[in-house]
Amino acid sequence: MSTKRGSDTTFEEDSQPNDEVVPYSDDETEDELEDQEPEVEPVQNRVNREAEERRETFRKDCTWQVKANDRSFHEQPHFMTTKFFCIKESKYANNAIKTYKYNAFTFLPMNLFEQFKRAANFYFLVLLILQAIPQITTLAWYTTLVPLLLVLGITAIKDLVDDVARHKMDNEINNRSCEVIKDGRFKIAKWKEIQVGDVIRLKKNDFVPADILLLSSSEPNSLCYVETAELDGETNLKFKMALEITHQYLQKENSLATFDGFVECEEPNNRLDKFTGTLFWRSTSFSLDADKILLRGCVIRNTEFCHGLVIFAGADSKIMRNSGKTRFKRTKIDYLMNYMVYTIFVVLSLLSAGLAIGHAYWEAQVGNYSWYLYDGEDFTPSYRGFLNFWGYIIVLNTMVPISLYVSVEVIRLGQSYFINWDLQMYYPEKDTPAKARTTTLNEQLGQIHYIFSDKTGTLTQNIMTFKKCCINGQVYGDNRDASQHTHSKIEEVDFSWNIYADGKFEFHDHYLIEQIQSGKEPEVRQFFFLLAACHTVMVDRIDGQLNYQAASPDEGALVSAARNFGFAFLARTQNTITISELGTERTYNVLAILDFNSDRKRMSIIVRTPEGNIRLYCKGADTVIYERLHQMSPIKQETQDALDIFANETLRTLCLCYKEIEEKDYEEWNKKFMAASVASTNRDEALDKVYEEIEKDLILLGATAIEDKLQDGVPETISKLAKADIKIWVLTGDKKETAENIGFACELLTEDTTICYGEDINALLNTRMENQRNRGGVYAKFAPPVHEPFFPSGGNRALIITGSWLNEILLEKKTKTGNILKLKFPRTEEERRIRTQSKRRLEARKEQRQKNFVDLACECSAVICCRVTPKQKAMVVDLVKRYKKAITLAIGDGANDVNMIKTAHIGVGISGQEGMQAVMSSDYSFAQFRYLQRLLLVHGRWSYIRMCKFLRYFFYKNFAFTLVHFWYSFFNGYSAQIAYEDWFITLYNVLYSSLPVLLMGLLDQDVSDKLSLRFPGLYVVGQRDLLFNYKKFFISLLHGILTSMILFFIPLGAYLQTMGQDGEAPSDYQSFAVTIASALVITVNFQIGLDTSYWTFVNAFSIFGSIALYFGIMFDFHSAGIHVLFPSAFQFTGTASNALRQPYIWLTIILTVAVCLLPVVAIRFLSMTIWPSESDKIQKHRKRLKAEEQWKRRQNVFRRGVSSRRSAYAFSHQRGYADLISTGRSIRKKRAPLDAIIADGTAEYRRTVES
């Protein structure tokens, strides 16, 4: 296939994706990727092109200029950009972080502006203005003003509290201190005062405040060890190293103060693993890469101090660039509620229009001819109808009560506090409670379909533990005593005989200790010597204790295990390694270190023993070690059986082997090795080839088994969430073998799972695309869409895909396109048309391909994406949101998870672990993954049920309240006359019916928390939107209409042609209003009693208290005393006392309430008896189900000699420290003279750049 492909080619790519590498960085341009593709062309053309490209790339990419110790340089006019009108600002961001929204001056105007952007708030503001017009209103202005002020005030206070918390968080970070060169000396400065170009000093355990170029450190060759937990959740140390020239010159304060280096580099971007730049200093240029940059958020470890030059500050730093765009999140119920409010607006407008037309007709037929109705205004009937339209908009406005929004906010706030106060989500070891960082998403926790989880630090503890081993065919690690007898329970091995034991190591096989100490089997000692010698771990002593610095936690666990078993790695130099072998120190000459990489999957060391023997020790993945074993190597089968057992127990394994090397063979090989080491081109390939020659005919010693410790309760949590029909996808930057192994460990994958990989998926998608293309004819758009499953029904499938395959499958891989698409300015109209059509076809195919991938992935029970970038994590989440319209939750603990957390509907941060970046960007946070089941299955489900009940009831009670005006209109000439007293309308939603519904929204629960966790299937009602949808809304509307009819027409019928006990007719308007209002308050409060599932004293008190409060306030407002004080505001003087002393009216109220409620009781009884829901069944048998069911781990069926999968090999997915060790750069030594450094410096830099 040609390397230059047109726009209409098929989806096959030029090369297969590499499963071992993380794909191209997020911000890489198409040009950068094209440069990597080989192309056949004449040599001279290539030379000319490369020279031009270098100049062009330098001009295009390296436009960020930094001058050390010169702040005025960065304030020059050509670095200024116009931000707002004529206000200019430097393109270099300062180091202050700003996440808050308001300050003291902007809070009131901005908050009011934001609140009035809500349709409901603006609607009530318009209503308030309309009520100020006397020709329109029949309702007092305060009936709208009081609730509106209450809503605006409560929301403003909540926003203020949230923003104050953001201010505090920002101040805490911005006011951290570090040392900065000012006026020729290091002075203490706050982080927010740091600027680009400053030279700073950091000490051990300090956070790095900005992205800085490492200039020098206290370590040999200015090495600097950093922990990147804030970025990726990994706790193993990584090293950075300064340029040799800055290491030599820039150690002292005065030299740092006079440093005037000039850096040209790439613009700020989100590529954590890439940096390109040049340092110009002392008339020489030095190449800079990512190994010389310390990123903001890292922590300095095991380095007493270091110095750096600030390159990117604040918002320009890579960690901030990776945080993604902050999205305003709203729940599905919010959107649905808005649509229902719009529906109510339409119904309200139609009702008002119909009643206004009725009034115009009535005026024309009756009003104009009734002299006693003349109001002194000669308006036409149509104009009166127009005025009455607005009058009815005001009268019926309580169909959309403003208190709805404030009640929703109060309920959400209360539910958030319940999450914060939940002691079962509190992690005492780190004193970390659960925290709801937002108050607007609680009910969405009860509707999750997909969970996207990080691996390292989220599912796992990122702690590796040596669990078992197989030596010479014998498996060690079970609970055995020194006599080889197995026990169900046995005390830990006592390592007190070993002065180098760290005191933290736990092991229960006493027989292994017996074997080591007795020396009966020399292979056992050889095994642990290999672990102590074959590695790239660095060692130092802190307070007399050995402290290991490993490139990966796996390697650290193996060296620590060897140390505890009596083979302690003590020290190393460039050419030697010192090991304590059961208390005897021996030093070995290191002849070569054959380092690990992701292709080799192994590492070796060649040593010369004190006796003069040469021996090669090797450890690596079983797949590569077995290929290199000697044909006569014993214990192959026994070790393979052990590996199968370890794999079944989801342990990470390495095979260990060795070989004796003759002196002459070594001398011959060493010549090849030295030649490959100095090769100017393809050095890595040459070295790998030489390594292959020596790493053969190996003798197998055995295998190690390391546990990548899961967090407590992870398998149980995943099992319960799966039963709740929640699908879990793991998105990780780790290698495929490790991710797959964790999948088995946490029971996402089982032995019965059929695993599909990238190549399988690619083939399926290509076939589907071809079929869709063949079907896509002229009439394709008119044909109904057909859902074809990718897999046959039945069977348990999982998808494991790498980042490279993900780009391949989703057509995100950036490749060269045809020449037509490369034209920046099409020359003709035809070219422009062809270009546009090609782009459209490509976009359509890409969209279809992505949709097919999502459909395929969602057919799998589990999906694991490994070796993915932060941007790819967010992309996968976005694809599921876009094509499945499903509610998503993302959970992670590092800065590389922030983009994913912000993209998902709900983001959860793991706190109390290592980093806080994920927590700061999350909506909820807690310390352990296992708390997720309680957050979703208990708090989420309860919140969803409570909110749905609240909304259904709220709409019902307001329809019942408001539509009485509608029926009353037929008897008052459609005159917009209200059926209640003004004060009753004002206080109905504020006092008379608010507390019971609020308490139901806060406290109600259909089943207990234990039963919620025991029966995860109860969760599906939220996923399917069963409790609140348009059907439920219209049922509430119908219920409200029927209730309002009963409330109006039964009292009306009772009042017609009646006589009271005192001979007076009680059928005046005011008594009628009191009767309806009393029946309404009793009905709606008793109705909520029927809706309540979980009764407490507070619920009962609120229901009867609301009714009592209504009567108390009504008698107060109808008293003569208050009428004397405010005659215009209180006009129902004596009505309550006169009306309610009539038994006839009490009987009317009781009859009305009974007719409203008895049908509801009957329907509830029938539905629970004939069509009970799952929660009804559990409620009915809750006493029998009280005993808590214990979760049991799934038992794996092990078949000896048959392994359905390969174990994950325990190795870092990056190179170790071998290069540092073999070159001696990590070893403390006397510094060479500066002349010598300058003499070979240029050659060294050239070699570094070329390699």
Side-chain angles (χ1 to χ4, degrees), residues 70 82 178 184 237 323-324 419 576 583 611 634 651 669 688 728 1063 1094 1145 1157:
D70 188 357
T82 303
C178 75
L237 299 185
S323 61
I419 292 171
T576 66
E611 294 77 23
L651 301 174
W669 176 84
D688 286 349
I728 298 178
Y1094 183 68
I1145 289 181
L1157 296 181

Side-chain angles (χ1 to χ4, degrees), residues 216 239 341 424 527 688 700 886 1005 1020 1065:
S216 61
F239 66 86
V341 168
Q424 294 188 54
F527 181 92
D688 286 349
L700 186 62
Q1005 48 184 267
V1020 297

Side-chain angles (χ1 to χ4, degrees), residues 466 468-469 471 524-537 554-563 565 567-569 577 579 605 617-619 654-656 701 703-706:
F466 184 91
K468 292 186 178 183
C469 59
I471 308 173
V524 174
R525 292 188 176 183
Q526 188 92 308
F527 181 92
F528 287 105
F529 172 79
L530 190 156
L531 292 182
C534 183
H535 55 78
T536 58
V537 172
D554 313 79
E555 197 162 56
L558 292 175
V559 178
S560 295
R563 163 189 177 176
F565 285 115
F567 290 79
F569 162 53
I577 185 168
I579 295 171
I605 186 170
Y617 293 100
C618 179
K619 64 181 181 184
L654 282 179
C655 285
L656 277 56
L701 270 176
T704 61
I706 289 177

Side-chain angles (χ1 to χ4, degrees), residues 808-1017:
E808 174 94 6
I809 287 169
L810 300 180
L811 304 184
E812 293 288 342
K813 187 175 178 183
K814 299 173 183 177
T815 54
K816 285 192 175 182
T817 51
N819 287 331
I820 292 176
L821 294 182
K822 297 293 281 183
L823 291 172
K824 293 182 180 178
F825 302 103
R827 297 188 184 90
T828 65
E829 189 63 37
E830 181 65 16
E831 286 178 351
R832 188 178 289 110
R833 186 180 61 80
I834 293 173
R835 182 180 181 183
T836 304
Q837 287 179 351
S838 298
K839 277 188 174 181
R840 284 177 181 169
R841 277 198 295 271
L842 281 174
E843 284 300 317
R845 287 182 181 179
K846 181 177 175 180
E847 185 175 329
Q848 185 61 52
R849 177 87 163 190
Q850 291 178 343
K851 186 177 186 304
N852 289 344
F853 169 73
V854 172
D855 289 340
L856 184 150
C858 291
E859 287 183 27
C860 299
S861 58
V863 177
I864 299 176
C865 301
C866 38
R867 311 301 275 145
V868 288
T869 66
K871 186 176 181 181
Q872 284 181 310
K873 290 183 178 185
M875 180 184 72
V876 170
V877 176
D878 186 60
L879 287 175
V880 175
K881 281 175 64 179
R882 194 187 322 159
Y883 295 118
K884 282 295 172 184
K885 307 297 181 190
I887 305 300
T888 58
L889 179 147
I891 179 170
D893 72 320
N896 58 346
D897 303 315
V898 167
N899 210 343
M900 168 177 79
I901 283 170
K902 288 185 174 180
T903 302
H905 291 99
I906 291 177
V908 177
I910 299 290
S911 62
Q913 290 294 105
E914 303 302 336
M916 288 297 291
Q917 285 297 319
V919 171
M920 289 171 64
S921 303
S922 66
D923 304 305
Y924 300 88
S925 65
F926 42 69
Q928 295 279 288
F929 181 84
R930 68 177 184 269
Y931 298 147
L932 187 61
Q933 63 173 313
R934 187 166 180 85
L935 183 71
L936 300 186
L937 301 183
V938 177
H939 291 287
R941 201 179 71 84
W942 280 353
S943 295
Y944 172 74
I945 290 171
R946 290 164 179 169
M947 187 60 72
C948 293
K949 275 191 174 184
F950 165 80
L951 291 172
R952 293 201 311 262
Y953 173 78
F954 212 97
F955 284 128
Y956 153 74
K957 78 181 182 72
N958 281 283
F959 291 144
F961 165 60
T962 306
L963 291 175
V964 169
H965 296 301
F966 176 75
W967 308 118
Y968 185 47
S969 297
F970 293 100
F971 298 90
N972 63 20
Y974 313 98
S975 59
Q977 172 67 36
I978 55 176
Y980 309 108
E981 180 193 7
D982 285 350
W983 283 105
F984 178 78
I985 294 173
T986 305
L987 299 177
Y988 174 73
N989 278 311
V990 176
L991 292 179
Y992 301 154
S993 62
S994 60
L995 191 57
V997 72
L998 278 176
L999 288 173
M1000 183 180 73
L1002 286 169
L1003 303 175
D1004 201 45
Q1005 48 184 267
D1006 55 346
V1007 297
S1008 68
D1009 55 344
K1010 289 182 180 178
L1011 290 175
S1012 295
L1013 291 171
R1014 187 172 171 183
F1015 298 97

Side-chain angles (χ1 to χ4, degrees), residues 319-387:
I319 192 173
M320 297 304 294
R321 289 277 174 151
N322 254 301
S323 61
K325 184 180 178 183
T326 301
R327 294 168 171 84
F328 176 65
K329 297 182 179 181
R330 297 176 65 189
T331 66
K332 196 173 183 180
I333 282 184
D334 264 338
Y335 288 109
L336 192 58
M337 193 165 68
N338 278 349
Y339 284 123
M340 289 175 179
V341 168
Y342 297 147
T343 304
I344 294 172
F345 284 157
V346 172
V347 171
L348 175 61
S349 301
L350 292 175
L351 285 178
S352 299
L355 293 171
I357 292 169
H359 182 69
Y361 177 78
W362 185 87
E363 279 288 337
Q365 297 297 317
V366 180
N368 282 349
Y369 305 105
S370 304
W371 58 267
Y372 54 88
L373 294 176
Y374 182 65
D375 58 1
E377 303 286 352
D378 295 320
F379 296 145
T380 63
S382 58
Y383 184 68
R384 287 182 182 275
F386 172 75
L387 292 179

Side-chain angles (χ1 to χ4, degrees), residues 226-229 233-238 462 550-553 1212 1214 1217:
V226 294
E227 185 182 275
T228 59
E234 294 185 7
T235 53
N236 51 292
L237 299 185
K238 299 175 176 64
N462 203 28
S552 76
S1212 168
Q1214 60 189 1
Y1217 298 146

Side-chain angles (χ1 to χ4, degrees), residues 1042-1102:
L1042 293 175
T1043 301
S1044 67
M1045 287 180 68
I1046 294 167
L1047 286 170
F1048 179 79
F1049 285 106
I1050 287 183
L1052 180 68
Y1055 271 49
L1056 286 176
Q1057 300 177 355
T1058 57
M1059 186 72 69
Q1061 283 184 330
D1062 54 3
E1064 296 179 0
S1067 53
D1068 61 286
Y1069 158 70
Q1070 292 186 343
S1071 299
F1072 185 64
V1074 166
T1075 305
I1076 297 175
S1078 302
L1080 172 66
V1081 170
I1082 295 170
T1083 299
V1084 296
N1085 279 290
F1086 280 9
Q1087 176 67 49
I1088 203 166
L1090 295 176
D1091 289 342
T1092 300
S1093 303
Y1094 183 68
W1095 277 92
T1096 64
F1097 169 77
V1098 179
N1099 292 88
F1101 179 80
S1102 69

